[in-house]
Amino acid sequence: DTGVSQDPRHKITKRGQNVTFRCDPISEHNRLYWYRQTLGQGPEFLTYFQNEAQLEKSRLLSDRFSAERPKGSFSTLEIQRTEQGDSAMYLCASSNGVHTEAFFGQGTRLTVV
Amino acid sequence: AQSVTQLDSQVPVFEEAPVELRCNYSSSVSVYLFWYVQYPNQGLQLLLKYLSGSTLVKGINGFEAEFNKSQTSFHLRKPSVHISDTAEYFCAVSVYNQGGKLIFGQGTELSVKP
């Protein structure tokens, strides 16, 4: 296993377009987390899944954001009608239990122009 | 609500000198504590964690941290830094019974100069 994989690594989109990111966690990990990181800041929690169930969503996750983990394996994060304020690094992490080490992917850098 | 404060946004230090990166947290319930490192354009890598037991924890790359409950601190230390330690360091907490999500500090940029 090569770790947590995110695709694409970079995405440039025009304001108002929809974008979708994918995260493939470490295969035996049942927990998957999404974070957003803006320049000069620490990552901020967006949402997490235990298997296919989405158990918590941050208030940061507006109605334009949706995440899925349909079979408890990979996850997608979709942003509809992107805004310039959505420009950030989107990080995915997975773990095999609560309070165990979370392994992070390299992130998807979104730029909205 | 929980919060994490990293007291220094930037720490410049010369190679082979000791370094301490400071972290304070605020929480009314029990937390678990972590330090992560982020190299440019990379994801985060766990340096060390405190879940319970000895308050002095050792991590990778020669780093260690001490949990101080009374001062609600979890400072990261290394006795002798290398150029390769240049990176962004994040302190984070995870609250008991809240699913394992991490609350991060703002980060400290460690710059090691020759």
Side-chain angles (χ1 to χ4, degrees):
Chain A
D1 197 338
T2 56
V4 178
S5 176
Q6 292 188 245
D7 183 71
R9 291 290 309 279
H10 303 275
K11 178 71 177 178
I12 300 175
T13 191
K14 292 183 179 179
R15 190 175 51 189
Q17 297 294 305
N18 300 342
V19 294
T20 300
F21 310 141
R22 177 179 170 124
C23 171
D24 287 90
I26 294 173
S27 58
E28 65 269 24
H29 286 184
N30 60 354
R31 288 174 178 263
L32 186 148
Y33 304 83
W34 284 99
Y35 293 86
R36 180 172 68 188
Q37 184 179 23
T38 53
L39 202 61
Q41 299 295 317
E44 296 172 296
F45 170 77
L46 292 178
T47 187
Y48 89 95
F49 295 82
Q50 181 171 323
N51 300 313
E52 66 275 11
Q54 188 173 20
L55 297 186
E56 185 176 349
K57 294 195 295 185
S58 163
R59 285 172 292 177
L60 292 174
L61 215 62
S62 76
D63 291 344
R64 297 184 296 106
F65 288 70
S66 62
E68 294 183 342
R69 194 183 183 196
K71 297 181 180 179
S73 57
F74 73 92
S75 175
T76 58
L77 177 68
E78 181 183 16
I79 309 174
Q80 295 183 327
R81 305 181 303 282
T82 52
E83 301 172 356
Q84 287 189 319
D86 297 330
S87 295
M89 176 78 88
Y90 291 84
L91 294 166
C92 175
S94 70
S95 71
N96 61 2
V98 183
H99 309 303
T100 58
E101 179 177 355
F103 291 81
F104 282 79
Q106 292 184 304
T108 294
R109 182 170 295 283
L110 173 66
T111 302
V112 181
V113 297
Chain B
Q2 293 74 37
S3 65
V4 177
T5 301
Q6 292 184 240
L7 298 165
D8 307 290
S9 60
Q10 294 181 318
V11 173
V13 63
F14 287 106
E15 194 174 18
E16 298 183 5
V19 71
E20 178 180 81
L21 306 184
R22 298 180 294 167
C23 172
N24 285 93
Y25 69 92
S26 173
S27 176
S28 57
V29 297
S30 295
V31 297
Y32 305 98
L33 297 148
F34 304 81
W35 274 99
Y36 280 84
V37 61
Q38 186 176 35
Y39 298 101
N41 297 313
Q42 299 293 317
L44 283 77
Q45 179 183 8
L46 182 68
L47 278 177
L48 48 79
K49 62 186 177 186
Y50 173 78
L51 301 182
S52 64
S54 172
T55 57
L56 182 64
V57 292
K58 295 187 183 297
I60 62 171
N61 300 341
F63 284 93
E64 63 181 32
E66 186 156 19
F67 170 55
N68 187 319
K69 188 174 182 179
S70 63
Q71 296 185 2
T72 60
S73 68
F74 191 53
H75 300 334
L76 181 71
R77 301 186 184 100
K78 186 170 182 178
S80 175
V81 294
H82 302 291
I83 297 286
S84 59
D85 292 323
T86 295
E88 190 88 16
Y89 291 79
F90 293 97
C91 180
V93 301
S94 174
V95 178
Y96 176 74
N97 217 22
Q98 286 195 9
K101 69 180 181 185
L102 294 166
I103 300 166
F104 287 89
Q106 307 93 315
T108 297
E109 182 182 344
L110 176 64
S111 176
V112 181
K113 304 178 187 306

